[in-house]
PDB file of all heavy atoms in Angstrom:
ATOM      1  N   ALA A 286     -17.708   2.896  -8.453  1.00  0.00           N
ATOM      2  CA  ALA A 286     -17.575   1.692  -7.667  1.00  0.00           C
ATOM      3  C   ALA A 286     -18.178   1.884  -6.301  1.00  0.00           C
ATOM      4  O   ALA A 286     -18.744   0.917  -5.715  1.00  0.00           O
ATOM      5  CB  ALA A 286     -16.067   1.345  -7.528  1.00  0.00           C
ATOM      6  N   ALA A 287     -18.065   3.067  -5.713  1.00  0.00           N
ATOM      7  CA  ALA A 287     -18.653   3.361  -4.413  1.00  0.00           C
ATOM      8  C   ALA A 287     -20.129   3.189  -4.456  1.00  0.00           C
ATOM      9  O   ALA A 287     -20.766   2.656  -3.528  1.00  0.00           O
ATOM     10  CB  ALA A 287     -18.248   4.794  -3.974  1.00  0.00           C
ATOM     11  N   ASN A 288     -20.780   3.677  -5.480  1.00  0.00           N
ATOM     12  CA  ASN A 288     -22.183   3.560  -5.638  1.00  0.00           C
ATOM     13  C   ASN A 288     -22.635   2.154  -5.791  1.00  0.00           C
ATOM     14  O   ASN A 288     -23.824   1.774  -5.521  1.00  0.00           O
ATOM     15  CB  ASN A 288     -22.722   4.371  -6.838  1.00  0.00           C
ATOM     16  CG  ASN A 288     -22.709   5.892  -6.546  1.00  0.00           C
ATOM     17  OD1 ASN A 288     -22.947   6.310  -5.433  1.00  0.00           O
ATOM     18  ND2 ASN A 288     -22.413   6.661  -7.538  1.00  0.00           N
ATOM     19  N   LEU A 289     -21.710   1.324  -6.272  1.00  0.00           N
ATOM     20  CA  LEU A 289     -22.029  -0.126  -6.418  1.00  0.00           C
ATOM     21  C   LEU A 289     -21.668  -0.965  -5.207  1.00  0.00           C
ATOM     22  O   LEU A 289     -21.705  -2.133  -5.210  1.00  0.00           O
ATOM     23  CB  LEU A 289     -21.265  -0.668  -7.664  1.00  0.00           C
ATOM     24  CG  LEU A 289     -21.742  -0.201  -9.028  1.00  0.00           C
ATOM     25  CD1 LEU A 289     -20.788  -0.635 -10.124  1.00  0.00           C
ATOM     26  CD2 LEU A 289     -23.163  -0.703  -9.304  1.00  0.00           C
ATOM     27  N   GLY A 290     -21.295  -0.207  -4.083  1.00  0.00           N
ATOM     28  CA  GLY A 290     -21.049  -0.842  -2.845  1.00  0.00           C
ATOM     29  C   GLY A 290     -19.688  -1.293  -2.480  1.00  0.00           C
ATOM     30  O   GLY A 290     -19.431  -1.973  -1.512  1.00  0.00           O
ATOM     31  N   ASN A 291     -18.656  -0.819  -3.292  1.00  0.00           N
ATOM     32  CA  ASN A 291     -17.288  -1.245  -2.992  1.00  0.00           C
ATOM     33  C   ASN A 291     -16.741  -0.384  -1.841  1.00  0.00           C
ATOM     34  O   ASN A 291     -16.577   0.825  -1.925  1.00  0.00           O
ATOM     35  CB  ASN A 291     -16.378  -1.032  -4.227  1.00  0.00           C
ATOM     36  CG  ASN A 291     -14.974  -1.529  -4.010  1.00  0.00           C
ATOM     37  OD1 ASN A 291     -14.095  -0.721  -3.692  1.00  0.00           O
ATOM     38  ND2 ASN A 291     -14.709  -2.838  -4.202  1.00  0.00           N
ATOM     39  N   GLU A 292     -16.364  -1.058  -0.760  1.00  0.00           N
ATOM     40  CA  GLU A 292     -15.902  -0.335   0.428  1.00  0.00           C
ATOM     41  C   GLU A 292     -14.627   0.384   0.313  1.00  0.00           C
ATOM     42  O   GLU A 292     -14.294   1.419   0.909  1.00  0.00           O
ATOM     43  CB  GLU A 292     -15.850  -1.290   1.613  1.00  0.00           C
ATOM     44  CG  GLU A 292     -14.791  -2.347   1.576  1.00  0.00           C
ATOM     45  CD  GLU A 292     -15.275  -3.621   0.988  1.00  0.00           C
ATOM     46  OE1 GLU A 292     -16.213  -3.573   0.096  1.00  0.00           O
ATOM     47  OE2 GLU A 292     -14.801  -4.715   1.388  1.00  0.00           O
ATOM     48  N   TYR A 293     -13.739  -0.099  -0.600  1.00  0.00           N
ATOM     49  CA  TYR A 293     -12.439   0.557  -0.835  1.00  0.00           C
ATOM     50  C   TYR A 293     -12.629   1.823  -1.571  1.00  0.00           C
ATOM     51  O   TYR A 293     -11.947   2.843  -1.282  1.00  0.00           O
ATOM     52  CB  TYR A 293     -11.505  -0.424  -1.502  1.00  0.00           C
ATOM     53  CG  TYR A 293     -11.282  -1.702  -0.785  1.00  0.00           C
ATOM     54  CD1 TYR A 293     -11.996  -2.853  -1.120  1.00  0.00           C
ATOM     55  CD2 TYR A 293     -10.449  -1.723   0.345  1.00  0.00           C
ATOM     56  CE1 TYR A 293     -11.820  -4.040  -0.406  1.00  0.00           C
ATOM     57  CE2 TYR A 293     -10.232  -2.945   1.037  1.00  0.00           C
ATOM     58  CZ  TYR A 293     -10.958  -4.070   0.699  1.00  0.00           C
ATOM     59  OH  TYR A 293     -10.808  -5.191   1.423  1.00  0.00           O
ATOM     60  N   SER A 294     -13.474   1.779  -2.602  1.00  0.00           N
ATOM     61  CA  SER A 294     -13.775   3.049  -3.312  1.00  0.00           C
ATOM     62  C   SER A 294     -14.532   4.028  -2.450  1.00  0.00           C
ATOM     63  O   SER A 294     -14.315   5.243  -2.652  1.00  0.00           O
ATOM     64  CB  SER A 294     -14.556   2.704  -4.651  1.00  0.00           C
ATOM     65  OG  SER A 294     -13.642   2.151  -5.619  1.00  0.00           O
ATOM     66  N   GLN A 295     -15.390   3.528  -1.609  1.00  0.00           N
ATOM     67  CA  GLN A 295     -16.092   4.425  -0.714  1.00  0.00           C
ATOM     68  C   GLN A 295     -15.117   5.173   0.179  1.00  0.00           C
ATOM     69  O   GLN A 295     -15.261   6.340   0.436  1.00  0.00           O
ATOM     70  CB  GLN A 295     -17.112   3.632   0.145  1.00  0.00           C
ATOM     71  CG  GLN A 295     -18.272   3.124  -0.699  1.00  0.00           C
ATOM     72  CD  GLN A 295     -19.124   2.135   0.100  1.00  0.00           C
ATOM     73  OE1 GLN A 295     -18.716   1.603   1.153  1.00  0.00           O
ATOM     74  NE2 GLN A 295     -20.309   1.776  -0.448  1.00  0.00           N
ATOM     75  N   TYR A 296     -14.076   4.421   0.670  1.00  0.00           N
ATOM     76  CA  TYR A 296     -13.053   5.047   1.489  1.00  0.00           C
ATOM     77  C   TYR A 296     -12.231   6.087   0.630  1.00  0.00           C
ATOM     78  O   TYR A 296     -11.998   7.246   1.075  1.00  0.00           O
ATOM     79  CB  TYR A 296     -12.142   3.994   1.966  1.00  0.00           C
ATOM     80  CG  TYR A 296     -10.905   4.583   2.763  1.00  0.00           C
ATOM     81  CD1 TYR A 296     -11.041   4.926   4.101  1.00  0.00           C
ATOM     82  CD2 TYR A 296      -9.681   4.693   2.136  1.00  0.00           C
ATOM     83  CE1 TYR A 296      -9.949   5.504   4.786  1.00  0.00           C
ATOM     84  CE2 TYR A 296      -8.588   5.265   2.831  1.00  0.00           C
ATOM     85  CZ  TYR A 296      -8.711   5.612   4.118  1.00  0.00           C
ATOM     86  OH  TYR A 296      -7.639   6.153   4.852  1.00  0.00           O
TER      87      TYR A 296
END
Side-chain angles (χ1 to χ4, degrees):
N288 285 326
L289 291 171
N291 183 266
E292 66 269 33
Y293 302 101
S294 283
Q295 290 170 347
Y296 175 82

